[in-house]
Amino acid sequence: MALVTFSNPEYKDKTVYAVAGSHTETILKIAKENKIPVHHDCQDGECGSCVVRVTSVDDKQRMGYHLTDKEITVLRQLGKLSQEDIERLSLDDMPSEWRLACQMIVRDEDILVEY
Ligand code: FES
């Protein structure tokens, strides 16, 4: 099971640890279940309000994740990904550290989510 650590610099004392029980849950769903105030609006990968930074908690190599076209478009509009980044991530099968919480399905790895 994946351990998800939610952290926000404004709530330093409120780091929350959550466990993803299945491989169908998005970061946003887990955040809501644990009453973690990750910003969101559309919940459909359109508005970009749920952007989060996702990194490894233990310096392990992260799993590759496929970004949908919709997510790539929004992350580019937010200035989080350049075309060069997208090509590099795709070529090396690497995960993006910037994700939309409503789009990223948590897989079997421990991650730190900064919101
Ligand atoms: Fe709108 Fe995630 S809530 S993109």
Side-chain angles (χ1 to χ4, degrees):
M1 271 195 237
L3 179 67
V4 183
T5 304
F6 288 92
S7 176
N8 181 309
E10 288 176 34
Y11 312 107
K12 270 203 166 102
D13 55 333
K14 291 190 181 151
T15 297
V16 177
Y17 304 95
V19 174
S22 72
H23 299 295
T24 59
E25 295 171 304
T26 63
I27 289 176
L28 184 59
K29 181 170 184 263
I30 295 168
K32 286 165 86 178
E33 283 171 0
N34 288 276
K35 300 188 180 2
I36 298 159
V38 173
H39 293 286
H40 62 278
D41 188 6
C42 72
Q43 301 185 56
D44 192 32
E46 303 276 351
C47 71
S49 64
C50 66
V51 68
V52 291
R53 186 165 178 253
V54 181
T55 53
S56 171
V57 281
D58 50 12
D59 292 331
K60 268 196 202 155
Q61 178 82 21
R62 292 205 35 231
M63 292 176 173
Y65 282 86
H66 174 74
L67 295 176
T68 62
D69 291 345
K70 197 158 59 171
E71 191 170 10
I72 288 172
T73 301
V74 173
L75 289 172
R76 284 194 66 185
Q77 286 169 352
L78 293 172
K80 301 297 186 189
L81 285 180
S82 66
Q83 186 59 39
E84 197 176 85
D85 294 331
I86 293 162
E87 287 165 15
R88 184 177 42 81
L89 294 173
S90 164
L91 199 66
D92 297 341
D93 193 27
M94 293 292 293
S96 167
E97 71 174 5
W98 294 102
R99 294 298 308 263
L100 298 177
C102 68
Q103 298 297 298
M104 180 177 164
I105 305 277
V106 177
R107 293 168 65 185
D108 198 13
E109 67 175 339
D110 297 341
I111 52 173
L112 171 65
V113 176
E114 295 168 81
Y115 62 97

